[in-house]
Amino acid sequence: MNTKLTLSLDKEIIEQAKIYAKGTGRSLSEMVESYFRSLSNPQKKSEDEDDAQKKLNKISGIVKLPPDYNEKEAILDYLEEKHLR
């Protein structure tokens, strides 16, 4: 059962989050729920981070990444997507 939650955040952060969510094909609600879920299960989060790091290490050196590539952001994207399945 879903319950409504009201959050007060900086307007600019909300706008950036909306753009990010749209770019990943998710809603803000899905992103917040995924984040809260990861907070409530730190062991699972740690395992998922290790899993993501192993996958990134496998392709390290194979793919030429742009200079502005953000590895931490890529890991977070992977984990958010994984938890929404």
Side-chain angles (χ1 to χ4, degrees):
M1 176 178 141
N2 287 340
T3 302
K4 193 171 196 170
L5 171 68
T6 302
L7 300 172
S8 297
L9 303 170
D10 182 273
K11 185 176 181 176
E12 186 176 320
I13 297 297
I14 294 170
E15 293 306 315
Q16 291 172 353
K18 284 180 181 180
I19 292 168
Y20 178 82
K22 186 175 182 179
T24 60
R26 292 176 284 174
S27 70
L28 286 178
S29 293
E30 289 171 325
M31 288 175 47
V32 170
E33 182 177 353
S34 175
Y35 176 68
F36 286 169
R37 185 172 285 122
S38 72
L39 291 177
S40 65
N41 191 349
Q43 178 62 35
K44 177 74 172 148
K45 181 180 173 185
S46 177
E47 290 170 5
D48 289 343
E49 287 173 349
D50 290 344
D51 215 19
Q53 187 63 50
K54 286 177 187 174
K55 288 180 180 182
L56 286 173
N57 287 342
K58 273 182 140 177
I59 65 168
S60 180
I62 297 172
V63 177
K64 182 80 171 166
L65 299 174
D68 62 343
Y69 179 75
N70 186 331
E71 185 177 341
K72 288 183 179 183
E73 185 176 320
I75 292 170
L76 288 174
D77 289 345
Y78 165 79
L79 292 174
E80 287 175 353
E81 185 176 325
K82 181 177 180 177
H83 288 289
L84 292 176
R85 288 184 202 153

